[in-house]
Amino acid sequence: EGEGWRLPFVAHLFRRNEGRHVFRLALSKMLLFQGLLKIKSFDADAQKLYEERARLVFRNLELFAEHRGHRLEARLVGTDSVWREIPSTDKDGRAEASLWFSDEEIAKATQQVMSTSGAVRVEVRLVDRPMTAPVSALLPLVNLNGVTVISDIDDTVKVTEVFKGHARVIENTFLRKFRAVDGMADLYREW
């Protein structure tokens, strides 16, 4: 395709989570935490973390087709880049595409976000709902040459304590603030 960049886009539609999944949250808390793990009460911070994180899991378990078949489009922020259509969402509300952008478009987009690490900001919007604001994300650029590190998260980047059993993993995932593994951030930066 000549000079330029091919950028991967993955979009996943969700409804807002606030106030949703109340029954699932209560049932899960009763069966999993109180029944299986014998954790009878949560302090206020643990309750808030549990609800926030469990909703992220529950929204992936929705069996409704309301997110299927939506047309999406994407563009680079801060350029004259036009909106480019990406495939419609699948039964799970997910769409995936790979779009090509010229070197000039990428250069303008990296200047817009004042990125020294080589990143661009992208926007994705629903075509069939023009009043819904687009969402944006920072997309890191990876050169063809060099080293890219792909890593597991649990007990590599954040403390999960997988080796201490499922009860500890569930507590660290749903009830405690995430803790970084000492020294890993510096190590990744060095690479």
Side-chain angles (χ1 to χ4, degrees):
E1 292 181 83
E3 299 296 314
W5 292 78
R6 181 154 292 284
L7 303 182
F9 284 79
V10 178
H12 204 151
L13 296 182
F14 297 106
R15 286 194 300 179
R16 293 184 63 87
N17 256 344
E18 294 83 0
R20 299 198 62 230
H21 309 295
V22 174
F23 177 74
R24 289 178 183 168
L25 287 167
L27 184 63
S28 175
K29 183 177 177 182
M30 184 180 70
L31 294 176
L32 180 63
F33 290 97
Q34 295 172 345
L36 182 64
L37 301 176
K38 308 299 183 217
I39 299 171
K40 297 300 179 191
S41 63
F42 297 178
D43 64 25
D45 290 338
Q47 180 68 30
K48 182 179 178 190
L49 287 172
Y50 165 67
E51 289 182 10
E52 175 185 306
R53 293 176 184 165
R55 281 190 172 100
L56 295 174
V57 173
F58 292 147
R59 75 181 185 188
N60 287 318
L61 301 176
E62 291 189 54
L63 303 175
F64 309 111
E66 69 182 274
H67 301 308
R68 179 185 309 177
H70 287 281
R71 291 179 36 230
L72 302 172
E73 51 190 10
R75 72 174 178 183
L76 294 174
V77 174
T79 68
D80 297 329
S81 181
V82 297
W83 287 99
R84 299 166 192 210
E85 193 160 337
I86 59 178
S88 295
T89 56
D90 64 13
K91 66 180 179 59
D92 300 314
R94 191 170 187 275
E96 197 169 332
S98 179
L99 302 176
W100 183 86
F101 294 91
S102 71
D103 285 335
E104 182 181 337
E105 288 174 298
I106 296 294
K108 286 180 183 176
T110 55
Q111 289 173 357
Q112 177 69 23
V113 295
M114 295 179 277
S115 172
T116 58
S117 62
V120 293
R121 183 159 299 282
V122 296
E123 287 182 319
V124 177
R125 71 179 180 185
L126 287 162
V127 174
D128 52 352
R129 293 192 186 160
M131 299 306 289
T132 303
V135 295
S136 68
L138 200 60
L139 182 65
L141 302 174
V142 179
N143 285 318
L144 290 175
N145 301 317
V147 176
T148 300
V149 176
I150 300 172
S151 173
D152 181 28
I153 292 176
D154 295 312
D155 294 319
T156 304
V157 177
K158 74 176 182 77
V159 174
T160 309
E161 298 180 313
V162 171
F163 53 91
K164 290 189 177 180
H166 65 275
R168 185 62 61 94
V169 171
I170 291 171
E171 287 177 36
N172 284 329
T173 301
F174 289 102
L175 304 180
R176 296 187 179 140
K177 290 183 179 180
F178 293 137
R179 294 177 292 148
V181 173
D182 292 335
M184 289 307 292
D186 293 333
L187 179 63
Y188 279 111
R189 278 190 209 100
E190 287 177 22
W191 291 341

